[in-house]
Amino acid sequence: MPTTLSQSDLPGLELIHRGKVRDVYALPGNRLLMVATDRLSAFDVVLPDPIPGKGEMLTQISNFWFEKTAHLMPNHLTGEDVRSVLPAGVDPALYAKRAVITKRLKPVPVEAIARGYLIGSGWKDYQATGALCGIALPAGLQQAQKLPAPIFTPSTKAAVGDHDENVSFDSVVSQVGEELANAVRDATLKIYAFAAAHAAERGIIVADTKFEFGTDENGVLHIMDEMLTPDSSRFWPADKYQVGISPPSYDKQFVRDYLEQVGWNKQPPAPKVPADVIAGTAAKYAEALDKLAGIRLD
Ligand SMILES: Nc1ncnc2c1ncn2[C@@H]1O[C@H](COP(=O)(O)OP(=O)(O)OP(=O)(O)O)[C@@H](O)[C@H]1O
Ligand SMILES: [Mg+2]
């Protein structure tokens, strides 16, 4: 059975960050303990109810991809057993599948987004400007159409409560330097291409995805954070894909539809969500994990 955890509680460990989904603790030796909770955010607001097992599924999906792409790019995982750092008295079962020990890297301050399809804010941008984040595209593309080639559209990492903002590649260059900017772009596109090909064999389209990178004490670039999860990506079932309409996705669409339907103003606090919507969302995460990685947690 999956465990449910809304908020981690690890007495004696130093909590350094509580994001919308993850709780991050400092460990000795310049390491982190990252705990994916079962919190769900929609429209950038955390919902009052957890999605049982979601954090475990997220962590297992990321772990799958980190391993699968290790030949392309070093990643932040140390491979150590989480149980070795849990304080006495903490139930290991609660954390074993949802937490990882990582190297503590120096974050590159951009969200590295790869887009293979014209959807979401990219579609809006294209309709308004004929380009995507300043990158010229052919005229006459339709919603959800596959792009001639995947593109890198960086955005800023927003502070809590803010939305991320698209930025030009040049602004990334001026922020982190040309060498690092190029390395991040190249890695983003290379990993996206690899992952999209793998997912395609399993009937899933990776429409777009967000990566985060960091450098170690020797300046070596690593991929960190989460990787190719439903929270950081748009996954579409390939058999439902059709140009011109926004395809259903393997993520929060269930919850988003419900929240739109009840007319929530998208300001905190978010309303409670009925049990069937919660169960439906959990099932979507489980399906993504099973389809992409061939892993079933229950
Ligand atoms: N190996 C790492 N070294 C240093 N920082 C990391 C590493 N991996 C991830 N991070 C950072 O840890 C944090 C993880 O938090 P989390 O993703 O839950 O919340 P957030 O990014 O603040 O908000 P959001 O909920 O919008 O994602 C992020 O700031 C991420 O950049
Ligand atoms: Mg994050």
Side-chain angles (χ1 to χ4, degrees), residues 115-123 142-147 192 196 199-209 229-230 233-253 256 284 287-288 291-292:
R115 297 172 191 266
Y117 291 76
L118 198 51
I119 195 71
S121 66
W123 167 237
Q142 295 180 60
Q143 183 180 28
Q145 191 156 350
K146 189 172 188 178
L147 295 168
Y192 172 78
E201 284 171 18
R202 285 152 179 264
I204 293 181
I205 293 171
V206 184
D208 49 42
T209 194
T229 71
S233 321
R234 255 192 202 95
F235 295 143
W236 295 335
D239 59 356
K240 307 253 167 58
Y241 172 71
Q242 218 181 314
V243 175
I245 55 166
S246 181
S249 61
Y250 272 105
D251 65 352
K252 308 172 192 169
Q253 205 53 49
R256 289 204 198 101
K284 283 287 167 200
E287 198 179 328
K291 281 220 171 181
L292 286 171

Side-chain angles (χ1 to χ4, degrees), residues 5-285:
L5 186 74
S6 283
Q7 196 171 96
S8 62
D9 181 19
L10 297 170
L13 293 187
E14 183 198 351
L15 179 70
I16 56 170
H17 181 81
R18 180 160 276 150
K20 288 195 285 290
V21 174
R22 267 139 343 130
D23 295 343
V24 184
Y25 296 82
L27 294 175
N30 210 22
R31 296 172 304 161
L32 298 174
L33 179 68
M34 298 195 56
V35 182
T37 69
D38 296 326
R39 298 192 289 269
L40 177 72
S41 73
F43 306 111
D44 282 338
V45 179
V46 176
L47 304 190
D49 302 289
I51 305 295
K54 173 184 173 244
E56 294 183 345
M57 297 189 270
L58 283 181
T59 297
Q60 298 308 309
I61 294 179
S62 283
N63 287 355
F64 166 79
W65 287 116
F66 281 126
E67 192 190 328
K68 192 101 189 143
T69 60
H71 65 292
L72 297 175
M73 183 88 207
N75 64 60
H76 72 167
L77 297 182
T78 69
E80 294 160 285
D81 192 330
V82 167
R83 279 168 280 225
S84 66
V85 299
L86 294 179
V90 169
D91 178 7
L94 262 184
Y95 292 91
K97 289 183 188 157
R98 66 174 70 249
V100 286
I101 300 175
T102 76
K103 298 179 190 176
R104 186 172 188 169
L105 301 167
K106 180 172 171 236
V108 179
V110 295
E111 311 251 296
I113 298 167
R115 297 172 191 266
Y117 291 76
L118 198 51
I119 195 71
S121 66
W123 167 237
K124 285 193 187 123
D125 190 6
Y126 175 75
Q127 284 177 292
T129 67
L132 212 178
C133 302
I135 300 165
L137 291 176
L141 295 179
Q142 295 180 60
Q143 183 180 28
Q145 191 156 350
K146 189 172 188 178
L147 295 168
I151 57 177
F152 174 63
T153 63
S155 76
T156 57
K157 277 176 67 73
V160 175
D162 275 350
H163 299 280
D164 297 346
E165 209 175 294
N166 291 332
V167 292
S168 68
F169 183 68
D170 286 347
S171 91
V172 178
V173 170
S174 54
Q175 212 184 341
V176 305
E178 190 166 6
E179 196 183 326
L180 192 53
N182 281 332
V184 165
R185 180 189 55 197
D186 294 351
T188 299
L189 292 173
K190 187 165 72 176
I191 297 167
Y192 172 78
F194 175 84
H198 172 85
E201 284 171 18
R202 285 152 179 264
I204 293 181
I205 293 171
V206 184
D208 49 42
T209 194
K210 179 209 76 176
F211 300 128
E212 292 189 32
F213 295 91
T215 49
D216 70 7
E217 61 282 358
N218 300 316
V220 176
L221 191 64
H222 288 59
I223 187 160
M224 60 176 210
D225 202 59
E226 64 182 322
M227 199 177 175
L228 289 151
T229 71
D231 280 11
S232 66
S233 321
R234 255 192 202 95
F235 295 143
W236 295 335
D239 59 356
K240 307 253 167 58
Y241 172 71
Q242 218 181 314
V243 175
I245 55 166
S246 181
S249 61
Y250 272 105
D251 65 352
K252 308 172 192 169
Q253 205 53 49
F254 245 71
V255 166
R256 289 204 198 101
D257 289 350
Y258 172 79
L259 293 171
E260 299 270 17
Q261 184 197 316
V262 296
W264 173 48
N265 64 2
K266 298 178 189 166
Q267 299 304 310
K272 280 189 78 71
V273 169
D276 62 316
V277 176
I278 295 205
T281 303
K284 283 287 167 200
Y285 280 85

